[in-house]
Amino acid sequence: MAPPRNVVKIAVQMRDAIPQLIQLDQAKPLAAVLKEVCDAWTLPHSERYALQFADGHRRYITENDREAERLLRGLQSESREGRREALRHLLMLAPDLTFAREVISRDGLQRLGTIIEDGDDLGEVLALALRAFLELMEHGVVSWETLSIPFVRKVVCYVNMNLMDASVQPLALGLLENVTLSSPTLGQLVKSEVPLDRLLVHLQVMNQQLQTKAMALLTALLQGATPAERKHMLDYLWQRNLRQFIYKNIIHSAAPLGDEMAHHLYVLQALMLGLLEPRMRTPLDPFSQEQREQLQALRQAAFEPEGEPVGAGLSADRRRSLCAREFRKLGFSNSNPAQDLERVPPGLLALDNMLYFSRQAPSAYSRFVLENSSREDKHECPFARSSIQLTVLLCDLLHVGEPCSETAQDFSPMFFGQDQSFHELFCVSIQLLNKTWKEMRATQEDFDKVMQVVREQLARTLALKPSSLELFRTKVNALTYGEVLRLRQTERLHQEGTLAPPILELREKLKPELLGLIRQQRLLRLCEGTLFHKISSRRRQDKLWFCCLSPNHKVLQYGDVEEGVGPPTPDSLPEQLPVADIRALLTGKDCPHVREKGSGKQNKDVCELAFSVSYDHGEEEAYLNFIAPSKREFHLWTDGLSALLGNPMGSEQTRLDLEQLLTMETKLRLLELENVPIPEHPPPVPPPPTNFNFCYDCSIAEP
């Protein structure tokens, strides 16, 4: 009977030993084979030995060698099922670099390429072959530039075919993307063979994987094109409504956007904005008739209503002088605006933005310029200077002209929801700048400070990734100068660790002790006493009286004093009010001496400083009424009286004092932890040991 196909006879030799002729079962693990060989020679520790080819490259035999050879033989099987099983097994092992090197060294890529080029099976076998080919190429052992032109053309055919298995085309698109990014020569072949319309068809198929791979190839083709070709390609794609399709069917799709698609949309956005770079890098040419006319159009839109040219009938010198003055009113630093626009960046891009704003929002443009050019209080906002600096700012925030990151995903959806998105963003931003300028009451000396605030407003709003320009406008206008200051304060506290959970917990533990300290200070202030004014029926504050708390905190002592006389001693005060008799503390309009008076500004001022204590006077309720000399004294006395009555001290002064004390005490306690990051959560307590046999009982005497 013939031996099984997996069993072969081989000779094994070792120095100073008799060679063996063994039957090798190729399905048996290599470790078991080595154990049998070592046992025949009575050698211990078989794991220390290895088999090596005696001829050729004299390579050591590993499990990878055996598996690679077996799988590659399976790829040449005449049976479709045999090839399918070999491809599946190859695909499982391909991510391993050592195995991949072994397969590639045995011409595995060529054998896979043959399956792909033959195209005998356009279904699962072809998909498995493409996936295995991609997995092996991912290791970088072989360059994509080594692929043959017939092979690439065959893969292009799979992309261009109408009736194709859904699993094949995404793989073919992915392969062509790698080819395009790695080889300029083969990239030109792909560009000429794969029409843009075909990629648009793939993008419009409701298959997320196919859409992602089509977008990947599209961005790869755009990256490999020259600037002129890229502009032509993007113009064509926009004419075919690609932007609207991406916005409606990809960004706002019901299915979540994958990381890979987000990266390709970021690349597409960067390439779109990159079309602005030539204008950004080109300074204004003072000898260009077209550019001079654009500047004049900018001036006329602001200062010359339609049909009313200013300067008509004036001499040429007077007209030039008038134009120069109007350019200065427009916000140019020089009477010759060409000198302002010679700076690159922003170059001609700033002029494009200003012209777009004046044409698309003429009323807002005229209002901006005329409102600021007519001011005489040094608070005017220069339109041209602001526009030039704002253009630089937007180019910096949006990374115009910078190379694409290989991993970034931070695209802005609104750039796909709006034509002329950069210029439209400028129109919103320049009006925001004017609004912020007014909120800050800025002058020319504050120009850089205003730009810093505007930069922060734009950066914070762009980070929110608003889905449309209108939503961006709403959010950025809601981010006022005051809100920016509040956010800065909050972030500073976070950086200092003041708002970290462990610090907040420490502050809560310190609060009772510090509130007790504040309470003690308030009572001491009451013991020192204060001079108060008496208000007569005619609102005259011409009489004084003095009130203080006794050292034992049991009696309020008070009485009238003469003006110009120093504070009396507590023993000389004729009146006393036991603290135990006090019912309640009243403030503001609840006080009886305020309710009795009429309304008016003077009464309002008195109301803010008025407080009273109600107490038992026989069977009736009586009041001791106060008008504090200042807001601070009002807070100190109301806090002190609240503390005497056992109520919480709720004044604004108490809040400020407590915050100051908490900040100081926290910093003192954390001095030794400076520059040490404090975790938000404490480390977990480890579980108790299974037994406590490691404990040593010292009370037991040793024998």
Side-chain angles (χ1 to χ4, degrees):
M1 184 178 67
R5 294 179 58 184
N6 287 334
V7 177
V8 294
K9 289 186 177 181
I10 63 170
V12 183
Q13 63 183 13
M14 186 178 71
R15 185 180 303 172
D16 301 329
I18 300 173
Q20 300 180 44
L21 182 65
I22 65 172
Q23 287 190 337
L24 176 64
D25 185 353
Q26 298 182 65
K28 186 181 292 186
L30 185 59
V33 174
L34 284 170
K35 181 75 168 58
E36 292 177 359
V37 172
C38 289
D39 288 346
W41 279 321
T42 64
L43 296 172
H45 306 298
S46 62
E47 67 275 4
R48 298 180 182 178
Y49 295 87
L51 296 176
Q52 183 184 30
F53 286 106
D55 53 1
H57 295 289
R58 303 183 67 84
R59 291 178 298 125
Y60 285 98
I61 299 174
T62 64
E63 289 286 2
N64 282 334
D65 294 335
R66 301 173 66 206
E67 189 65 24
E69 185 61 36
R70 185 180 70 81
L71 289 177
L72 291 177
R73 281 201 306 270
L75 295 181
Q76 296 175 315
S77 171
E78 296 180 359
S79 164
R80 178 184 297 179
E81 187 60 34
R83 291 198 302 272
R84 183 184 292 111
E85 287 303 316
L87 285 167
R88 284 176 178 167
H89 203 175
L90 174 60
L91 194 56
M92 291 172 54
L93 299 175
D96 180 75
L97 177 60
T98 305
F99 177 79
R101 288 180 184 275
E102 189 62 37
V103 170
I104 292 171
S105 68
R106 295 172 180 270
D107 297 330
L109 285 173
Q110 286 79 353
R111 298 187 190 186
L112 288 171
T114 301
I115 295 175
I116 294 169
E117 284 191 65
D118 289 346
D120 296 334
D121 187 336
L122 299 179
E124 185 183 4
V125 171
L126 179 58
L128 290 170
L130 285 167
R131 188 174 285 114
F133 190 92
L134 285 166
E135 284 285 353
L136 293 174
M137 292 295 292
E138 280 295 319
H139 294 291
V141 178
V142 178
S143 170
W144 290 94
E145 295 181 346
T146 60
L147 301 184
S148 66
I149 291 177
F151 175 81
V152 174
R153 280 193 169 135
K154 188 64 179 179
V155 177
V156 167
C157 288
Y158 296 142
V159 170
N160 291 335
M161 289 177 68
N162 289 322
L163 299 176
M164 175 58 65
D165 189 276
S167 61
V168 171
Q169 286 188 323
L171 296 168
L173 287 164
L175 193 151
L176 293 181
E177 177 206 359
N178 284 293
V179 168
T180 304
L181 292 173
S182 304
S183 171
T185 304
L186 294 176
Q188 285 298 320
L189 173 64
V190 174
K191 179 185 173 184
S192 62
E193 297 281 341
V194 180
L196 292 178
D197 287 328
R198 188 64 198 166
L199 292 179
L200 290 173
V201 170
H202 291 315
L203 282 170
Q204 292 171 6
V205 173
M206 291 296 107
N207 180 329
Q208 197 170 33
Q209 185 183 16
L210 186 58
Q211 283 181 339
T212 301
K213 294 303 180 183
M215 184 64 74
L217 180 55
L218 177 61
T219 55
L221 291 172
L222 288 168
Q223 286 179 280
T226 63
E229 291 174 337
R230 187 179 303 143
K231 184 177 186 313
H232 176 74
M233 292 168 68
L234 284 172
D235 288 344
Y236 178 78
L237 291 169
W238 277 192
Q239 290 172 8
R240 299 299 305 273
N241 299 322
L242 175 63
R243 178 188 63 74
Q244 292 89 329
F245 181 83
I246 291 174
Y247 186 72
K248 293 178 182 177
N249 298 87
I250 296 180
I251 295 177
H252 292 288
S253 170
L257 196 67
D259 292 343
E260 189 178 355
M261 177 60 85
H263 170 69
H264 296 312
L265 290 178
Y266 153 78
V267 174
L268 184 58
Q269 174 184 303
L271 295 173
M272 288 162 46
L273 293 172
L275 297 179
L276 303 169
E277 185 180 6
R279 299 290 287 179
M280 183 183 74
R281 304 287 183 195
T282 306
L284 185 136
D285 181 4
F287 301 104
S288 169
Q289 180 65 26
E290 179 188 0
Q291 293 170 17
R292 287 203 303 270
E293 289 175 355
Q294 289 175 337
L295 284 171
Q296 290 299 330
L298 198 62
R299 179 189 63 81
Q300 291 166 0
F303 300 109
E304 295 184 10
E306 286 189 27
E308 298 181 21
V310 177
L314 298 178
S315 64
D317 290 341
R318 288 290 304 279
R319 198 158 43 246
R320 277 195 297 271
S321 175
L322 179 62
C323 289
R325 188 162 63 251
E326 288 179 344
F327 275 124
R328 294 298 292 267
K329 285 185 177 182
L330 199 56
F332 286 98
S333 302
N334 301 280
S335 55
N336 180 7
Q339 295 176 1
D340 292 58
L341 294 168
E342 287 177 351
R343 170 188 170 193
V344 290
L348 291 175
L349 186 57
L351 178 59
D352 295 342
N353 278 334
M354 288 188 281
L355 281 170
Y356 187 89
F357 182 46
S358 68
R359 291 167 180 168
Q360 300 300 318
S363 59
Y365 169 69
S366 299
R367 185 167 57 251
F368 187 118
V369 175
L370 297 178
E371 177 184 286
N372 287 285
S373 63
S374 60
R375 300 187 69 164
E376 299 291 341
D377 54 359
K378 296 185 179 180
H379 288 283
E380 68 277 3
C381 178
F383 171 73
R385 183 185 177 191
S386 300
S387 298
I388 292 169
Q389 194 60 37
L390 183 61
T391 303
V392 175
L393 173 59
L394 289 174
C395 290
D396 187 36
L397 287 175
L398 299 173
H399 309 290
V400 176
E402 297 181 15
C404 297
S405 165
E406 294 184 0
T407 57
Q409 302 173 9
D410 53 341
F411 73 96
S412 295
M414 68 176 180
F415 284 101
F416 295 95
Q418 183 77 42
D419 286 325
Q420 301 293 337
S421 53
F422 183 83
H423 297 314
E424 289 288 343
L425 179 62
F426 171 84
C427 293
V428 175
S429 302
I430 192 66
Q431 295 176 79
L432 170 72
L433 190 150
N434 190 34
K435 172 175 168 287
T436 303
W437 186 283
K438 294 176 186 176
E439 291 172 351
M440 295 177 66
R441 296 189 57 78
T443 62
Q444 294 288 343
E445 289 76 15
D446 302 319
F447 184 84
D448 291 338
K449 294 180 182 177
V450 175
M451 293 307 302
Q452 289 174 3
V453 174
V454 171
R455 181 188 186 91
E456 190 167 344
Q457 289 171 316
L458 294 174
R460 288 181 184 275
T461 309
L462 286 171
L464 298 175
K465 296 187 177 181
S467 58
S468 66
L469 188 70
E470 283 306 313
L471 187 58
F472 174 85
R473 188 197 310 273
T474 302
K475 288 182 177 295
V476 81
N477 285 325
L479 191 61
T480 60
Y481 175 56
E483 183 67 11
V484 169
L485 292 181
R486 189 190 66 78
L487 290 171
R488 286 177 176 177
Q489 174 72 5
T490 304
E491 289 170 358
R492 183 181 65 79
L493 293 175
H494 274 292
Q495 289 174 356
E496 293 176 356
T498 310
L499 299 181
I503 305 301
L504 293 176
E505 186 178 345
L506 173 62
R507 286 166 63 93
E508 286 298 320
K509 289 183 178 180
L510 293 174
K511 269 186 183 180
E513 178 185 350
L514 298 178
L515 281 172
L517 187 63
I518 295 173
R519 180 182 183 278
Q520 183 181 353
Q521 186 270 337
R522 298 295 194 263
L523 294 177
L524 286 174
R525 182 69 188 86
L526 265 60
C527 290
E528 292 176 6
T530 303
L531 280 171
F532 295 95
H533 284 278
K534 281 188 175 181
I535 299 182
S536 65
S537 59
R538 297 183 179 180
R539 318 299 291 166
R540 293 177 58 190
Q541 302 183 20
D542 51 358
K543 293 184 179 181
L544 297 174
W545 65 290
F546 184 81
C547 184
C548 67
L549 179 67
S550 64
N552 62 3
H553 300 171
K554 292 186 177 181
V555 177
L556 282 177
Q557 298 171 299
Y558 60 96
D560 294 342
V561 296
E562 296 294 331
E563 189 173 356
V565 179
T569 61
D571 296 336
S572 64
L573 296 171
E575 304 290 342
Q576 292 187 349
L577 172 60
V579 173
D581 292 344
I582 297 177
R583 289 185 181 181
L585 171 67
L586 309 175
T587 60
K589 294 180 179 180
D590 295 331
C591 300
H593 61 308
V594 173
R595 289 200 302 265
E596 295 169 0
K597 310 301 179 183
S599 60
K601 183 179 185 301
Q602 186 179 8
N603 188 62
K604 182 180 178 182
D605 295 338
V606 170
C607 178
E608 292 178 352
L609 301 175
F611 62 97
S612 303
V613 289
S614 64
Y615 61 95
D616 293 325
H617 185 65
E619 296 182 359
E620 297 180 357
E621 184 179 20
Y623 297 93
L624 183 61
N625 300 319
F626 299 80
I627 299 292
S630 67
K631 198 70 177 174
R632 176 174 172 78
E633 287 294 331
F634 172 82
H635 291 318
L636 294 177
W637 270 84
T638 53
D639 283 342
L641 292 170
S642 296
L644 282 174
L645 298 175
N647 298 328
M649 300 177 291
S651 73
E652 179 68 14
Q653 189 63 43
T654 295
R655 189 188 66 79
L656 294 174
D657 290 348
L658 179 61
E659 182 61 31
Q660 186 176 13
L661 290 171
L662 281 172
T663 302
M664 292 172 59
E665 186 67 22
T666 304
K667 288 183 177 180
L668 287 173
R669 300 244 181 151
L670 299 178
L671 274 177
E672 296 183 359
L673 294 179
E674 190 174 0
N675 298 326
V676 175
I678 300 174
E680 291 195 1
H681 305 286
V685 178
T690 54
N691 62 72
F692 294 87
N693 295 338
F694 56 86
C695 293
Y696 182 77
D697 191 350
C698 298
S699 62
I700 301 176
E702 293 184 1

